Amino acid sequence: MEIYAYWLDGEHLRLSEWVPQDQSLGVMLKIQALLGHTVVLSDIQLIDSPVVQSLFESDDFRSFARSCPTFLRCTTGAPPGSDPFTLVTTGLHRALEPGWLSSSFETAEPMIRLAEVILERGDANPGPLFARGTVLGTRYEEGSAVRQRLQAVAWTLHHFSREAGVPLGTSAVVRPSSYCDVLEEVAELPGLPGHDYEPVERTLAYLADHLGESDRHRRALLIAHLDATDPPHRTAIRNTATQAWNAAVQRTLGTDGASPRSLPEAADVGLYLGRPTDALFEPVRPASTSPAGHGLTPSDLAAVGTLSWQDIAKIYQDDAVTRRRDDFQNALRAADAAAADDDLSALLRTVRTKLPATGGAPRQFTWAAAEAGLGLAGAGLALGAGETLGLAAPALAFGLAAEKLLRGSRKRSHIVNTLMKAGRRGTWTQRGDV
């Protein structure tokens, strides 16, 4: 399955206050690789996602990406038939638009300088770009944080434009929807619960009052207006717009599913559109209890976290793991929920035999649930992964509860709340009756 991850978007990371010391997203990406999913990156994620940048800063990850090229896919809005360099540098052209804001740097200036040089040279190889005496080599001191991050962006673009076998694609959407289009569509949904309807309506009202129709497709212009006016409910408006922006990108990229993640005070727009088919985890807060029965055990997660990307590559390429992974992915593509659940159990039992033993007191993680359109193979997908890596029946019951709900109801708010009652945990917490 191809999945678009909301949580790799730079603005989403900024608003969720992600810091490089947080390794949970890296662990999640390793699990996605072991499950055989393809993570689809947009043109902006290629150049302005701190997580993607931190990955490509590492020789270890770059080696993994070369040896397992189907793990990451790049899809952009370049014209069909574009050469790889043109396809992967569409984000650089967007960075040169007036008013563009960077989520990775304090100002847009470093990305603008990098974009100008790469587009002029027609190549993103970091070595020549930052050689002594060049514009970038002179401007940014060797070893500085800004230079390292810019080099990571160049490595990312170089990988997708030059490495053989890397999946590339252009969006088949003729007229991509904007975040404003998404908000208007969600606002019209019958039965939209108040806790999501209110931030959607506030955001639309703010757009109508402050931005003309021609400007409402650009998130950067909304952010600039919010910074200038500092309105009530500013956090809810900005975060809701970001959720809607990512839902619009998901549609444009045409992925099989998505991995949404909530932002504070925002409407969970991604749950009402498309097909969220993933779950992810985050560190347990000090006041939280230990992970519920449907989650991975802390020792399992710690074991995955200790693996290098080259270790992940060895497991990924193991013959037994490959067979199990192919069975699982084939079942997902066939929408065979029962087979997907069985194949996932078999896959993760095989993967678990490859994990190192861990000692001490590992850092705890907890799963965050997402509703899905494939029943057990969707809503129970990552939840089932936790169960088969170390625990038993609760994950299966959780997945089955999702499947029954999805067969009998199209009201996603009910689905989400019932999932939370079944699982007792999750990012989408219960926020009143619906």
Side-chain angles (χ1 to χ4, degrees):
M1 287 186 64
E2 291 188 340
I3 292 175
Y4 172 71
Y6 284 39
W7 37 278
L8 289 179
D9 168 50
E11 187 64 14
H12 199 289
L13 289 164
R14 179 197 291 269
L15 296 175
S16 63
E17 300 181 349
W18 177 85
V19 294
Q21 294 76 20
D22 178 4
Q23 299 299 309
S24 63
L25 299 186
V27 177
M28 183 59 191
L29 286 169
K30 290 177 180 178
I31 292 175
Q32 298 282 27
L34 294 175
L35 293 179
H37 296 321
T38 296
V39 177
V40 180
L41 301 177
S42 69
D43 54 355
I44 290 298
Q45 286 177 331
L46 287 182
I47 67 169
D48 202 40
S49 169
V51 170
V52 174
Q53 292 165 11
S54 66
L55 290 171
F56 276 91
E57 283 178 355
S58 163
D59 290 336
D60 179 43
F61 180 79
R62 293 199 300 270
S63 295
F64 168 82
R66 287 192 295 269
S67 62
C68 304
T70 59
F71 173 55
L72 295 178
R73 175 183 176 89
C74 168
T75 300
T76 72
S82 297
D83 62 273
F85 180 80
T86 300
L87 193 150
V88 303
T89 55
T90 55
L92 295 180
H93 290 282
R94 292 176 63 180
L96 295 177
E97 294 178 356
W100 184 80
L101 299 176
S102 172
S103 301
S104 302
F105 302 92
E106 292 184 3
T107 70
E109 187 270 341
M111 275 306 310
I112 292 173
R113 300 284 83 80
L114 182 69
E116 290 172 341
V117 173
I118 289 178
L119 293 174
E120 180 181 355
R121 290 178 59 91
D123 184 72
N125 190 334
L129 285 177
F130 290 89
R132 183 175 298 178
T134 61
V135 173
L136 296 176
T138 302
R139 180 181 288 269
Y140 301 107
E141 182 180 355
E142 187 171 356
S144 68
V146 172
R147 175 163 169 167
Q148 289 177 342
R149 192 50 55 92
L150 288 174
Q151 286 175 318
V153 175
W155 274 120
T156 307
L157 298 173
H158 183 67
H159 170 79
F160 282 98
S161 61
R162 292 292 185 263
E163 288 293 333
V166 175
L168 301 173
T170 58
S171 171
V173 176
V174 176
R175 182 185 177 276
S177 64
S178 70
Y179 73 91
C180 187
D181 296 330
V182 168
L183 290 171
E184 289 175 347
E185 181 176 339
V186 171
E188 295 298 320
L189 291 175
L192 187 68
H195 59 70
D196 280 339
Y197 180 79
E198 290 174 3
V200 167
E201 279 297 292
R202 288 193 187 105
T203 305
L204 286 171
Y206 185 88
L207 289 171
D209 290 343
H210 295 275
L211 276 80
E213 288 190 21
S214 61
D215 292 334
R216 293 176 193 173
H217 67 289
R218 294 194 58 194
R219 180 173 55 172
L221 297 181
L222 170 63
I223 293 173
H225 274 279
L226 288 171
D227 290 342
T229 60
D230 192 21
H233 309 293
R234 173 183 173 182
T235 298
I237 293 172
R238 181 168 182 167
N239 290 4
T240 297
T242 295
Q243 296 284 66
W245 189 89
N246 278 286
V249 172
Q250 174 195 343
R251 283 181 161 184
T252 302
L253 298 184
T255 58
D256 299 319
S259 179
R261 190 183 194 183
S262 291
L263 287 171
E265 301 181 36
D268 286 324
V269 175
L271 295 178
Y272 300 96
L273 301 171
R275 190 176 63 198
T277 55
D278 190 23
L280 56 84
F281 50 84
E282 57 191 9
V284 175
R285 294 178 177 84
S288 300
T289 59
S290 60
H294 60 267
L296 288 175
T297 65
S299 60
D300 290 328
L301 290 167
V304 174
T306 62
L307 296 176
S308 69
W309 279 101
Q310 285 305 289
D311 293 330
I312 296 293
K314 292 176 183 177
I315 298 175
Y316 184 93
Q317 295 165 345
D318 179 85
D319 289 341
V321 172
T322 299
R323 288 194 300 271
R324 298 297 189 186
R325 184 176 63 244
D326 288 347
D327 289 342
F328 172 56
Q329 288 293 324
N330 288 336
L332 286 180
R333 284 190 286 271
D336 188 337
D341 186 56
D342 291 341
D343 292 333
L344 179 59
S345 298
L347 167 61
L348 290 169
R349 281 197 300 269
T350 305
V351 167
R352 197 179 187 206
T353 65
K354 315 292 181 182
L355 298 180
T358 57
R363 188 179 188 185
Q364 290 182 327
F365 292 84
T366 179
W367 286 104
E371 180 271 330
L374 282 178
L376 183 56
L381 177 60
L383 306 174
E387 174 259 325
T388 48
L389 268 175
L391 299 164
L396 183 59
F398 189 78
L400 289 172
E403 186 178 34
K404 290 177 182 178
L405 273 168
L406 290 163
R407 287 177 175 173
S409 172
R410 294 179 60 85
K411 295 187 70 174
R412 298 175 187 269
S413 56
H414 288 285
I415 293 169
V416 173
N417 279 307
T418 305
L419 285 177
M420 291 305 96
K421 292 173 184 176
R424 306 297 183 194
R425 302 189 63 80
T427 294
W428 292 285
T429 56
Q430 300 174 52
R431 289 178 285 188
D433 294 327
V434 293

